[in-house]
Amino acid sequence: MKYLKNRSTLKLFSKKCTGCSTCTEVCPHRVIVMRDKKAFIQDINACMECGACEINCAVDAIFVDAGVGCASAIITGMLNNTEPICGCSDNSLNGGCC
Amino acid sequence: MKESEIVKNPSQNECGCTQMQNSSCCSGEDNNIKSLKWIIGNVNTPLGPVKKISGDWSRKDSLEQIKSRISSFRMNYTVDPGLYAIGDPDENSDIFVSSNYKLSFDILRKELHGLNAWIIVLDTKGINVWCAAGKGTFGTKELISKIKQSRIANIVRHKKIIVPQLGAPGIDSPQVKRITGFRILFGPVRASDIKEYIHNGYKATEVMRTVKFTMWDRFILTPMELIPVFKKLPLFALIIFILFGLTPAGIIFKSALLKGSPYLIALLAAALAGAFLTPVLLPYIPFRSFSIKGWIMGIVTIGAIKFSTPLFNFNSPLLTIALFVFFPLLSSYIALQFTGASTYTNISGVKREIKIGLPFYISGTIASLVIIIFYKLFQWSIL
């Protein structure tokens, strides 16, 4: 299953890459592979912009504008004029804490 | 380094889950005192007793799993964060990390059954590992703080911690190593692969590292797609009743029921097309966009009911037009919401879908209302 083509903001700066291969391990969709001892983006369209590679890159060789691909979070954010807000909370269940 | 700098980039969005933050602030006092059958004793350590947990599920655990998958019961289904022991772990045993959503924790302890290990539960406000990692609550700062609080470094002699791979978007592993000395090993995506992962010398295969999204995976997500939709259906039903019940002599109930019922059936069909059929059949529906997939399922479903029952033989083509304009768009909008539950959509793509889709949803809804109003005016021989 693939999502929309050429949308991901993932960028890899191979000059900085030290070849530790952590990014290939944390990627949930095999977007990055090792090629000639460096990380290489083999399938950008499989990228879900989760940001796992970026945050775990020790040398900042990866950039991705990470976020959750969730329509209701984005729409809720638009309605409130904020960044995306996940609807993981249910007001009705929030009674009387402490 | 300051604490505030520790979290490099948990994610740009502010999925705050603020309600849940409040609800778990008194964790320990409220929901967990009652019969916790899964705590079966203590394991003694140089630092004192650590709660020992069972790798078995009681009937209550199984029932609660079902409840948490089909209702908002999940919103408050937590375990106390902190350190736990499974089996009889010692100074050489592995350390696993989990979220404090009880279902995630239960799946981990079930899969660790038979092993001796330590489990550090992070306070993710009752949210599962992957979602919490996206929000940053399953995050670098929280992991570092729990490593310190639990004083696990004084309990074990090794320096490695196994974090579920899907926690990686929240965990800056170089940072954790610098501050705590513990090296993060990212384990497999699924807890069911843990034993094989260990057997493999703490190496996850490509298959273990890759997220799948099987028909069963998608199917078990549909209750939580259907519930919010069904909560809003009465409002739509009311609008349909008012539109069709409206006559020059006021709102007539019989007219509402008689003329509105095809549209009510269409409403139900469109909701099912968007919240159930699209998720389940996802890869088999053409196009990559969730909104287009939903629209196609909407057209197919509305077409199927329209031509299978004489109920939809309207006395005006206007009603047929409005039927096919509005309801497939409704299916499309509902299907678009499934992006949040899917395992492969990205935020840039979803933003684009919304940008393109919203004008269609808004203009389609307005157009349908205008068409119905024209129909009513014809009916009343005003035009």
Side-chain angles (χ1 to χ4, degrees), chain B residues 133-190:
Chain B
K135 297 168 205 299
T137 44
F138 189 102
T140 314
K141 199 174 157 188
E142 169 65 7
L143 177 58
I144 290 171
S145 122
K146 284 289 176 295
I147 290 173
K148 288 180 176 169
Q149 261 176 42
S150 65
R151 295 196 287 166
I152 188 77
N154 299 324
I155 297 176
V156 298
R157 288 169 67 183
H158 60 82
K159 283 284 176 197
K160 61 177 202 287
I161 290 188
I162 301 165
V163 172
Q165 187 198 321
L166 293 184
I171 303 290
D172 180 344
S173 54
Q175 185 80 263
V176 177
K177 175 117 198 280
R178 270 198 296 282
I179 292 177
T180 67
F182 277 96
R183 189 159 64 94
I184 302 292
L185 301 181
F186 286 108
V189 165
R190 286 172 181 272

Side-chain angles (χ1 to χ4, degrees), chain A residues 59-81:
Chain A
V59 293
D60 292 332
I62 297 176
F63 167 81
V64 58
D65 195 358
V68 182
C70 170
S72 66
I74 296 166
I75 292 169
T76 312
M78 281 165 68
L79 293 175
N80 294 305
N81 206 14

Side-chain angles (χ1 to χ4, degrees), chain A residues 5-81:
Chain A
K5 275 182 194 165
N6 302 324
R7 284 291 134 201
S8 170
T9 50
L10 179 69
K11 301 232 169 14
L12 199 155
F13 307 99
S14 354
K15 273 187 189 165
K16 286 189 183 174
C17 178
T18 54
C20 75
S21 81
T22 304
C23 52
T24 66
E25 286 174 22
V26 295
C27 178
H29 291 295
R30 313 275 64 77
V31 172
I32 306 176
V33 292
M34 295 306 290
R35 186 176 284 188
D36 301 328
K37 292 182 181 169
K38 292 226 177 208
F40 173 80
I41 298 175
Q42 71 157 355
D43 191 0
I44 185 95
N45 291 326
C47 174
M48 59 179 294
E49 301 184 309
C50 71
C53 52
E54 183 192 44
I55 194 173
N56 280 287
C57 179
V59 293
D60 292 332
I62 297 176
F63 167 81
V64 58
D65 195 358
V68 182
C70 170
S72 66
I74 296 166
I75 292 169
T76 312
M78 281 165 68
L79 293 175
N80 294 305
N81 206 14

Side-chain angles (χ1 to χ4, degrees), chain A residues 1 3 7 25-30 47-49 54 56 60 66 69 71-72 86 88-89 91 94 97-98, chain B residues 8-9 12 15 17 19 22 25 75 135 165 168 171 173 209-211 288 339 343 345-346 348 352-353:
Chain A
M1 270 172 267
Y3 196 45
R7 284 291 134 201
E25 286 174 22
V26 295
C27 178
H29 291 295
R30 313 275 64 77
C47 174
M48 59 179 294
E49 301 184 309
E54 183 192 44
N56 280 287
D60 292 332
S72 66
C86 290
C88 58
S89 47
N91 295 340
N94 185 36
C97 179
C98 302
Chain B
K8 177 180 159 193
N9 176 21
Q12 269 72 11
C15 291
C17 283
Q19 317 296 344
N22 294 336
C25 64
M75 303 310 301
K135 297 168 205 299
Q165 187 198 321
I171 303 290
S173 54
R209 291 224 172 281
T210 308
V211 172
R288 295 182 174 201
T339 50
T343 61
T345 57
N346 57 42
S348 303
R352 183 171 169 79
E353 285 213 56

Side-chain angles (χ1 to χ4, degrees), chain B residues 2 16 22 26 67 93 96 106 111-112 131 138 165 182 189:
Chain B
K2 281 183 292 182
N22 294 336
C26 40
K67 275 164 80 182
S93 300
F96 291 87
D106 275 359
E111 296 300 338
L112 292 181
C131 289
F138 189 102
Q165 187 198 321
F182 277 96
V189 165

